[in-house]
Amino acid sequence: MSDRRINALVLAAMAVGFVWALFSARHTPVANSPLPGAVVVPEMVPLVTGEEETTLIFTRAGCPVCHRIPGIAGANGRVGPPLLLGITGQQRLADPAYRGRAKTVHEYIVESVVEPGTFVVPGYPTDAMPTWYGAKLSALALEKIAVYLEQQTKEETSQER
């Protein structure tokens, strides 16, 4: 048999196999699937549900690694700005470089998590805040974070922790 015929037979077998795989995949039900075609992947699972205590939400989300956060043990990060939004929130909203849509400190906090590049506090690196937090934090967790941070008006010293 010539090489051309062998190549043609191999291609024909591959085409038949491909068509068969497509046809059988369409007609094979997925057992125990809550919705047709629904697939849960790790990227869809939130870091926190919002049912956790506020300190646990911050810890699981990794906020203490980069930020100083009053009242959160181990939150001594220096990559991002200190999260004293009860003091600095209005200043950030009034900054001429701010181009976001938030009108309140609460909205600013949510916006900063969901769209971190909207405003970067001067003196801190751009693109340091992960952009996926908005997808990995539940709405309730994000609400708890915002409520907590907008109440922070005093930076604690290490003795107060």
Side-chain angles (χ1 to χ4, degrees):
M1 211 184 268
S2 73
D3 284 343
R4 280 187 164 186
R5 281 191 172 174
I6 292 173
N7 286 342
L9 285 174
V10 168
L11 285 174
M14 288 174 59
V16 168
F18 180 72
V19 170
W20 179 75
L22 282 177
F23 179 75
S24 63
R26 284 188 191 156
H27 299 293
T28 305
V30 178
N32 299 325
S33 180
L35 298 173
V39 178
V40 176
V41 294
E43 294 80 26
M44 294 170 60
V45 179
L47 293 170
V48 290
T49 64
E51 297 295 327
E52 302 86 353
E53 291 182 28
T54 304
T55 55
L56 190 57
I57 291 172
F58 280 107
T59 303
R60 284 191 182 162
C63 304
V65 173
C66 295
H67 297 281
R68 287 192 315 272
I69 310 168
I72 306 298
N76 298 316
R78 302 279 190 245
V79 175
L83 300 181
L84 300 165
L85 282 300
I87 298 170
T88 61
Q90 286 298 329
Q91 297 165 351
R92 293 180 190 180
L93 286 169
D95 190 307
Y98 176 70
R99 300 282 186 253
R101 294 179 301 278
K103 302 293 183 220
T104 66
V105 173
H106 190 92
E107 291 173 354
Y108 168 77
I109 295 165
V110 172
E111 180 181 71
S112 295
V113 174
V114 175
E115 301 175 53
T118 301
F119 177 72
V120 178
V121 175
Y124 291 92
T126 59
D127 298 329
M129 176 82 167
T131 57
W132 48 264
Y133 275 125
K136 294 294 283 182
L137 295 174
S138 70
L140 182 56
L142 190 52
E143 178 65 17
K144 281 185 168 180
I145 286 171
V147 167
Y148 183 86
L149 292 179
E150 68 184 331
Q151 295 173 357
Q152 300 312 303
T153 58
K154 177 182 164 223
E155 186 160 10
E156 297 174 339
T157 63
S158 56
Q159 287 99 12
E160 291 178 90
R161 289 188 192 198

